[in-house]
Amino acid sequence: MRHFKYTSELTSLVYSSFEDVARSQPIDTQALRQTIIKLRQQPLDCLSMVTKTDAFVMKMIGTESIVLICARDVETGNKSLLHLANFEQGTISREILQQQLVKALDEFNINSTEFEEPVAKTVHVISTVTLWVIIISSLIVLAFALFISRAVALGLTNREEAMKALAHSEARNKHLAYTDSLTGLPNRNILDHTINTAIKKAERSNLQFAVMFVDLDSFKDVNDTLGHTVGDQLLITMATRIVEALRSNDHVVRFGGDEFVVVSDGFESVETIDYIAHKIADTIKQPVKLTNSGKDSYITASIGVAYYPQNGLNATHLLKHADVAMYQAKQAGKNQYKVFDEQSALEQNRKLRLVDQLHHAISNNELSIAYQPIVRLADGMTVGSEALLRWTNSDNETISPAEFIPIAEHSGQILDIGYWVLEQACKQCKEWHNEGAHQHAMAINVSSHQLKDPHFTERLKSILEEISLPASFVHLEVTENSAITEDPACVATLHQLAALGTRLLLDDFGTGYSCLSYLKDLPFHILKIDKSFMPADNTIASTIIAMGHEMNMPIVAEGIEAMPCYAHLKALNCQYGQGFLFQKPVPAHQFDTSKYYECFASPSN
Ligand code: C2E
Ligand code: MG
Ligand code: MG
């Protein structure tokens, strides 16, 4: 556009300056020069605006001639300026200058015309390309935006689904974590929560509730004899029965193994729990078919009850105390329910402590044996002794065998302890034989648990062989209460022991439930009347002694504390006696094997 403006300017200058006015008029060379300079400068300005991309596009579409055209403008402009200078110096005439300027004008115009087409083409191409670039890049941006938004939407959907799946699996995990897979009942993980909820409810409503520990009796036998599949089936059946026996607001949880815990809903009177406990016990007791034989089996349960708030203020205590009560129900003979009792709990704690301490009793040298003489009543002669176990525990407390022997029997520790006593007492007997008491007999108490050990006779035999003590000097005392006939293994051991040559005593006779055939069928040699029948001025004592005579069984009376008792026994022809009247149990070094209790033997006494 400017090019056109300047050429018009030059045209008017050339024609007005040279034609209108008389030739004598001066020519405005200054104006001409400036216009020519502008015309020469203009293509250079245009070219300076051409970018590398434009140049590339121009080359691609063949419009690079623009550069040439511009160069021609520059050349024409330079020539015209030269003519002007020549005119001013007077080397060319006014007419020649005009001709040259007209010629230059033509060239400028031609260049201008030639310039239009490639410029237009270039502008067109560049604008088209730019347009396409814009369109394509917009499309790309749009596509990209679409892609991103799609991806984001997809991501969100996936995330939502993932969250849902996560929530679902969390719910499933939660369900698994709190459910017992076998019975489908809630498991012990939920118990704290259940009890705590019951506590809050009871606090609000001022009611009580109970935690009950239900443990199937002898479930282990079912598992051991009929297998785990039958055991599992039994658990499922019992779980269903317990649930059905409860009210809808009570909770039942499988605690583990054959143990269930019932958390009752609030109640006002203790009779409610009494009723529920009986209902549970009754439903469990109902016959159950465990095998395909069609035969009914029977199982019972021991139930322990702890009341809130009397027996515990939190879940831990309530559960512990219900468990203790259940244990008490087991101890009391199973198939019953017991309410937690503080005193019994203390006793049980003590038992547990003793069991713990008993483990180290032998290795810590805490056990010892006291010996009490057994006297022939006719002449006051010491004929033997009874070995009585003593234990001073690590707390320096002396525990009576009447307390710790049943505990050791229950925990199974009696076997080790029993062998220790057997060995010590036999050795002591041998020692006394060696010291001159050649006929001294050693009475050793033996628990029925020891008799169940199939190796018992063998071990005793090897002890005796090792120390060369004839078996006949060993008198094994078995208490009448130990129900030995119920176990064939015990009976077998008794026969083996009799065959070995040991003498067998039935201890505490008269206090147990042995019938007389017991005495006929088992190889007992001696009867020991329990001290509860002393001072023997009663029919039971006299009957036992008379029976002993009839059966040709010597009688030992234990617990002789006073002279009248001794006199009675002697009058009844009781052969042997033992008691504080003669001597209390003493350590071996204080025992006098040759002691002759002469005063008692004298008829005048
Ligand atoms: P036991 O076998 O009937 O022993 C007699 C118990 O009566 C002993 O009690 C003895 O000290 C006590 N005694 C002796 N004379 C008199 C008396 O004149 N009056 C009174 N009131 N008591 C008298 P201890 O030593 O406390 O033993 C208690 C029970 O512990 C024993 O009763 C026995 O059944 C058991 N026992 C003791 N040592 C052992 C043992 O080594 N093994 C086993 N399995 N049981 C043992
Ligand atoms: Mg005894
Ligand atoms: Mg006794």
Side-chain angles (χ1 to χ4, degrees), residues 194-206:
T194 310
I195 298 177
N196 287 334
T197 311
I199 291 176
K200 280 190 195 128
K201 193 174 167 190
E203 273 171 359
R204 277 197 308 270
S205 55
N206 229 2

Side-chain angles (χ1 to χ4, degrees), residues 14-26:
V14 168
Y15 287 103
S16 62
S17 308
F18 289 86
E19 284 174 11
D20 307 347
V21 194
R23 290 188 178 239
S24 54
Q25 281 284 325

